[in-house]
């Protein structure tokens, strides 16, 4: 049965061709038998019967060969391991590979988001620091303007006081002079 898988053995070729050629020989012999007279038919009948019997034997042999070939193929297929686990394993490996690829992409995207988040947090911290510094500067500016205003008022008060004092001294002097004149 080894030749049934390849290009064909001598046995296969003889089984396939031997059944077609003798049929035509038996058919020709049958035509001759029908044309023959009754006496010749008695002589030819044994050889015709023998020809048919040989053809039946060849067909039987051919059928058994085909049945054996099918049985051998079936047995080999039956003995072969079930491909389902291997196929599911391959499918799972492909799916796993696809999931790993998707996982890598998501990790890269997550890292990009983390970098962007850190950058935004740094910007927010910088904004808070600048706002605090602005408040401090505004408070300093307000204090300085209040001090400046106080200094200006103080300067005005000093001038007013000095003017008042000088006026008060003049008034005292005037009073003293007036009292002494009187």
């Amino acid at each position: 049965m080894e030749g049934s898988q390849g290009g064909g053995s001598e046995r296969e070729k003889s089984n396939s061709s031997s059944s077609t050629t003798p049929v035509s020989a038996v058919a020709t012999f049958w035509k001759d038998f029908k044309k023959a007279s009754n006496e010749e038919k008695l002589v030819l009948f044994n050889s015709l019967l023998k020809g048919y019997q040989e053809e039946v034997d060849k067909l039987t042999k051919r059928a058994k060969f085909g049945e054996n070939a099918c049985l051998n193929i079936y047995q080999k297929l039956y003995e072969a391991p079930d491909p389902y686990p291997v196929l599911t394993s391959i499918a799972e490996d492909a799916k796993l590979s696809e999931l790993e690829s998707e996982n890598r992409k998501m990790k890269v995207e997550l890292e990009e988001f983390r970098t962007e988040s850190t950058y935004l947090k740094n910007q927010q911290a910088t904004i808070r620091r600048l706002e605090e510094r602005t408040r401090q500067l505004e408070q300093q500016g307000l204090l300085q303007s209040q001090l400046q205003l106080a200094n200006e008022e103080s300067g005005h008060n000093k001038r007013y006081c000095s003017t008042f004092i000088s006026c008060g001294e003049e008034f005292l002097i005037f009073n003293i002079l007036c009292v002494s004149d009187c």
Side-chain angles (χ1 to χ4, degrees), residues 25-77:
V26 172
T28 307
F29 194 68
W30 174 252
K31 288 179 185 176
D32 292 341
F33 179 77
K34 283 172 55 178
K35 293 179 185 175
S37 65
N38 285 339
E39 292 160 4
E40 289 176 344
K41 284 184 182 180
L42 287 176
V43 175
L44 293 175
F45 182 73
N46 285 337
S47 56
L48 180 63
L49 184 61
K50 189 176 179 182
Y52 272 113
Q53 186 61 42
E54 287 175 3
E55 189 60 32
V56 168
D57 290 342
K58 287 179 184 177
L59 288 172
T60 303
K61 186 178 175 183
R62 185 174 176 201
K64 284 183 182 180
F65 177 78
E67 288 172 2
N68 284 336
C70 286
L71 183 61
N72 286 336
I73 290 172
Y74 173 76
Q75 286 175 343
K76 288 182 181 182
L77 288 173

Side-chain angles (χ1 to χ4, degrees), residues 62-178:
R62 185 174 176 201
K64 284 183 182 180
F65 177 78
E67 288 172 2
N68 284 336
C70 286
L71 183 61
N72 286 336
I73 290 172
Y74 173 76
Q75 286 175 343
K76 288 182 181 182
L77 288 173
Y78 182 76
E79 291 170 0
D82 185 14
Y84 181 77
V86 173
L87 293 175
T88 55
S89 174
I90 290 171
E92 287 174 359
D93 288 346
K95 196 172 195 177
L96 181 63
S97 175
E98 182 180 322
L99 289 174
E100 286 174 348
S101 173
E102 187 176 338
N103 189 16
R104 275 186 248 113
K105 288 178 186 175
M106 289 183 142
K107 283 182 179 179
V108 168
E109 190 174 340
L110 178 63
E111 190 57 37
E112 289 173 357
F113 285 145
R114 284 183 178 159
T115 304
E116 186 176 341
S117 173
T118 303
Y119 177 73
L120 291 175
K121 285 178 182 177
N122 289 341
Q123 280 186 337
Q124 287 177 344
T126 304
I127 289 171
R128 279 191 226 114
R129 266 188 274 122
L130 290 174
E131 286 174 345
E132 183 61 32
R133 181 71 178 141
T134 303
R135 275 190 226 111
Q136 288 174 353
L137 290 175
E138 285 175 350
Q139 286 177 355
Q140 263 184 340
L142 185 62
L143 287 176
Q144 284 178 353
S145 62
Q146 286 177 350
L147 277 175
Q148 191 177 13
L149 185 63
N151 285 339
E152 286 176 8
E153 285 180 7
S154 162
H156 289 302
N157 286 342
K158 283 181 184 175
R159 275 186 253 136
Y160 179 73
C161 285
S162 64
T163 306
F164 183 71
I165 289 174
S166 64
C167 286
E169 288 174 355
E170 289 174 7
F171 181 71
L172 276 176
I173 294 174
F174 179 73
N175 278 341
I176 291 175
L177 290 173
C178 284

